[in-house]
Amino acid sequence: MKAVPPDYYRRLDEAERSHWYHRGMEELSLALLGPRLEQTGLALLDAGCGAGGFLRLAQRLPAFERLCGMDLSAEAIELARRHLPEAELHVGGLVGLPFADASFDVVTLNDVLQHVEEAEVEPSLRELRRVLRSGGALLVRTNGGLRERRVRSDWRLYSRAGLAAELTRGGFRVERITYANAAVSLLRAARRRTPTAPTVTSTGIPGRSGAVATAIGSHLLRAEARYLARPRARLPYGHTLFAVASPA
Ligand SMILES: C[S@@+](CC[C@H](N)C(=O)[O-])C[C@H]1O[C@@H](n2cnc3c(N)ncnc32)[C@H](O)[C@@H]1O
């Protein structure tokens, strides 16, 4: 990521640990991974793991035996290590991962793909496919919009069709792709607030919320997660896109 405020990863860590938005995104992720999590002994790679929020959730699930994370930022990995002393954590980019072919049953890419340099998107997805076992699942969570917006080489907003095409180019078969965060996004859009690229002065990380906003936001995202737990359910709108894909 090119330019972020100096306290970006500290704020990311705080939001990952405590914000209703992150809890809601976790519930949506579990809903979409669905029956895959009924197995045990699985290996997980959280690519672009930040301060380790998703790995901490995974640690509490019986499904996962091996937990790995990696991130471009040494500071993010340092924060993740404090919370996850037993996970395998690496500093580095998505291309050239330090793992053997077919090492993982599940790879997650949470809020990372939109930040990957344009020229590295396809090689990054091919690398994630390489480390995923046949029959394994890639879960992608990224920015969503009804129209695709390529704002900078390191920041874009995907449409549903654009994300599906990106995953197909990367060697994946898309099993499911849906917008999410619909109700909150509608409220934000009504106030002309849409996702924006991080800069040296703005992070895009959700700030502190009051009790009422927390209760409403949590309730809305939990309701979406319950709905999306149905195998064919999908939402037509939202500032978030989720995809589940498997190696083609
Ligand atoms: C918005 S944060 C999301 C962090 C975490 N996955 C989460 O959901 O809270 C984006 C993360 O992706 C990492 N990142 C961006 N580009 C990357 C790349 N090419 N390879 C690895 N990590 C990358 C950043 O350092 C940052 O930690």
Side-chain angles (χ1 to χ4, degrees), residues 28-200:
L28 286 160
S29 300
L30 298 187
L32 286 156
L33 285 170
R36 289 176 192 273
L37 300 179
E38 287 163 17
Q39 304 165 63
T40 53
L42 303 181
L44 167 72
L45 169 65
D46 188 23
C49 64
F54 190 78
L55 287 168
R56 263 174 285 152
L57 167 72
Q59 196 176 35
R60 299 196 294 272
L61 303 176
F64 296 109
E65 188 174 272
R66 182 179 179 205
L67 295 178
C68 298
M70 52 74 55
D71 199 286
L72 208 48
S73 157
E75 189 184 344
I77 291 297
E78 189 47 45
L79 288 164
R81 274 206 185 104
R82 285 188 208 164
H83 304 302
L84 293 149
E86 281 162 28
E88 293 171 46
L89 298 167
H90 301 268
V91 178
L94 293 169
V95 180
L97 294 172
F99 304 109
D101 295 0
S103 296
F104 298 100
D105 303 285
V106 177
V107 172
T108 48
L109 193 61
N110 294 315
D111 253 332
V112 179
L113 193 63
Q114 71 269 30
H115 298 290
V116 175
E117 278 291 335
E118 197 76 63
E120 285 186 13
V121 171
E122 187 179 331
S124 297
L125 289 172
R126 291 203 169 273
E127 184 65 348
L128 296 178
R129 182 189 182 285
R130 180 185 71 75
V131 299
L132 199 52
R133 288 188 187 130
S134 148
L138 170 72
L139 177 74
V140 179
R141 184 180 100 219
T142 189
N143 282 339
L146 294 178
R147 268 178 300 157
E148 190 139 317
R149 279 201 291 131
R150 298 205 173 236
V151 176
R152 293 192 323 224
S153 68
D154 70 333
W155 199 84
R156 64 204 79 86
L157 195 74
Y158 285 105
S159 64
R160 189 173 175 275
L163 177 60
E166 206 89 275
L167 289 167
T168 305
R169 271 195 296 278
F172 286 94
R173 187 175 63 81
V174 177
E175 291 179 5
R176 185 140 172 227
I177 184 160
T178 178
Y179 288 99
N181 195 17
V184 174
S185 305
L186 273 174
L187 292 172
R188 288 176 64 84
R191 296 164 68 197
R192 300 194 181 284
R193 289 168 72 180
T194 51
T196 50
T199 65
V200 274

